Amino acid sequence: ERSDGERLVSLNADGSWHTKYLRYPQYPLLYHQGQSDPHRVALTFDDGPDPDWTPQVLDILREKDVKAAFFVTGANAASNPALMRRIFAEGHEIGNHTYSHANLAGISAPRLQLELNATQRVIESLTSRSTTLFRPPYNADRHPQSLAEFVPLAAAQQLGYLPVSESIDTEDWRLSPPQVLLKRVRERRGEGNIVLLHDGGGDRSQTVAALPLIIDYLQKRGDRIVSLSALLGVPANSLMPPIPADDARDSRIVATTGFHVLNIAEELILAFMIASTGILLLRTLCVLVLALRHKRTDFPPQEPDGAAAPVSVLITAYNEAKVI
């Protein structure tokens, strides 16, 4: 953390100035841990879970027998409860990536706390576990360049989170080809041991295609791909502990029930929209078929009703006028 300093400036009798520091300023200090073993690497995925890309990522990890960490947004987690349960059931770690993927450097402290608490409740309601892992959106780099980037890390730490940065950024959000993503991992492998990838937030087809290549490269060079808990040398339960007994039970029940109701409501709304669309499509097809049948039916030509009468009357009136 940082704090301001204080100094006393006075004018001496001989006209010179004298300065005395009463308290020195304290600048932000960032401590890193987890790089004790140079041959251990952790794979991390941000912005999910996504119904299109996360299942493919999980299939590859299961095939390669690799564990990873997923930093989920609360909104996506609440919309994809089955994926959240699968991530946890297959032995992967889950971290907090805020609820709405907000830029924490530009929001208020109450909003920041709400973003983290809401996501925490979603994770708890779906896995029956808490999490101490946190990664800020947009500022995952391990070397923050401004005080605004430090503030979210300090605030999250005060709430009991362990901020997890990245040291190997694949920049897969640029939608680069798989070989380019692999090249970035090769070039930056010496900079650290936490790889940043994405399983949500857009088209991740290139990430899915590059993931087996990255895993094979790391293993062939002698690296061991491990979980974050193994990288830190701590028990897995310390990063995703069971919900503490002294946790606010009423609040947790309300939050859990609320998320379940929200998921059911979203599913009902989606089902209603699908059914309505189907009914509308069926009605359109029926109208189209009836219109085609009506067009093909031959009807005898008919004169318009009353069309001849006005002509006859006009002729009679003309003749009578002529006789007169």
Side-chain angles (χ1 to χ4, degrees):
E1 298 181 4
R2 63 177 296 275
S3 63
D4 294 331
E6 184 180 0
R7 63 181 177 176
L8 179 63
V9 180
S10 58
L11 182 62
N12 296 328
D14 59 358
S16 62
W17 292 94
H18 176 73
T19 300
K20 179 182 180 181
Y21 279 88
L22 304 178
R23 184 174 66 253
Y24 288 100
Q26 182 177 353
Y27 297 95
L29 296 176
L30 193 64
Y31 295 91
H32 293 276
Q33 64 181 117
Q35 294 180 269
S36 56
D37 189 336
H39 296 293
R40 287 190 173 190
V41 183
L43 299 180
T44 62
F45 296 87
D46 287 6
D47 297 353
D50 183 277
D52 294 325
W53 312 115
T54 303
Q56 299 182 56
V57 169
L58 290 173
D59 290 343
I60 295 172
L61 295 177
R62 181 172 55 188
E63 178 184 351
K64 299 288 187 179
D65 192 23
V66 169
K67 304 303 180 185
F70 290 81
F71 289 87
V72 303
T73 63
N76 286 340
S79 300
N80 300 280
L83 280 177
M84 286 290 293
R85 296 188 182 98
R86 180 184 172 184
I87 292 172
F88 180 71
E90 294 186 1
H92 304 291
E93 294 163 334
I94 299 175
N96 195 324
H97 200 48
T98 75
Y99 192 87
S100 63
H101 202 268
N103 187 351
L104 301 184
I107 66 176
S108 63
R111 167 77 184 282
L112 186 151
Q113 187 170 352
L114 178 61
E115 289 275 348
L116 297 181
N117 287 349
T119 305
Q120 183 73 261
R121 289 306 189 190
V122 174
I123 295 173
E124 291 176 351
S125 68
L126 297 175
T127 66
S128 298
R129 291 295 185 102
S130 181
T131 183
T132 62
L133 300 172
F134 164 72
R135 174 176 284 165
Y138 304 107
N139 295 315
D141 189 82
R142 64 173 181 163
H143 297 298
Q145 302 298 318
S146 67
L147 183 61
E149 296 179 8
F150 275 95
V151 171
L153 301 179
Q157 185 171 315
Q158 291 174 354
L159 293 174
Y161 288 97
L162 176 65
V164 180
S165 59
E166 52 80 13
S167 48
I168 307 173
D169 189 357
T170 62
E171 301 180 31
D172 56 344
W173 50 271
R174 296 181 182 272
L175 305 181
S176 304
Q179 292 296 335
V180 175
L181 301 183
L182 176 60
K183 180 181 178 182
R184 290 175 184 151
V185 174
R186 287 175 172 171
E187 293 174 347
R188 302 170 186 179
R189 175 61 186 91
E191 299 178 9
N193 49 6
I194 298 183
V195 182
L196 171 60
L197 296 158
H198 293 81
D199 66 320
D203 182 359
R204 301 305 175 206
S205 58
Q206 304 296 338
T207 303
V208 172
L211 182 56
L213 305 178
I214 294 173
I215 293 175
D216 291 343
Y217 162 73
L218 292 174
Q219 291 178 338
K220 286 180 180 179
R221 74 182 301 273
D223 290 329
R224 182 184 175 192
I225 303 176
V226 298
S227 63
L228 288 176
S229 56
L231 188 68
L232 294 171
V234 299
N237 284 344
S238 65
L239 300 184
M240 289 196 68
I243 299 175
D246 59 350
D247 188 63
R249 183 174 181 273
D250 294 339
S251 174
R252 188 171 69 252
I253 291 176
V254 170
T256 303
T257 304
F259 289 125
H260 286 324
V261 171
L262 179 62
N263 290 333
I264 294 174
E266 289 180 349
E267 292 176 359
L268 290 176
I269 292 174
L270 179 61
F272 174 77
M273 293 177 63
I274 294 175
S276 300
T277 303
I279 293 173
L280 181 61
L281 180 61
L282 182 61
R283 176 180 178 275
T284 303
L285 291 176
C286 290
V287 171
L288 181 61
V289 170
L290 293 175
L292 292 175
R293 290 186 59 186
H294 179 76
K295 182 178 181 180
R296 294 174 181 176
T297 304
D298 294 327
F299 293 97
Q302 297 180 356
E303 294 292 338
D305 295 338
V311 177
S312 177
V313 171
L314 289 174
I315 293 175
T316 303
Y318 173 76
N319 291 335
E320 290 177 353
K322 187 176 181 181
V323 171
I324 292 173

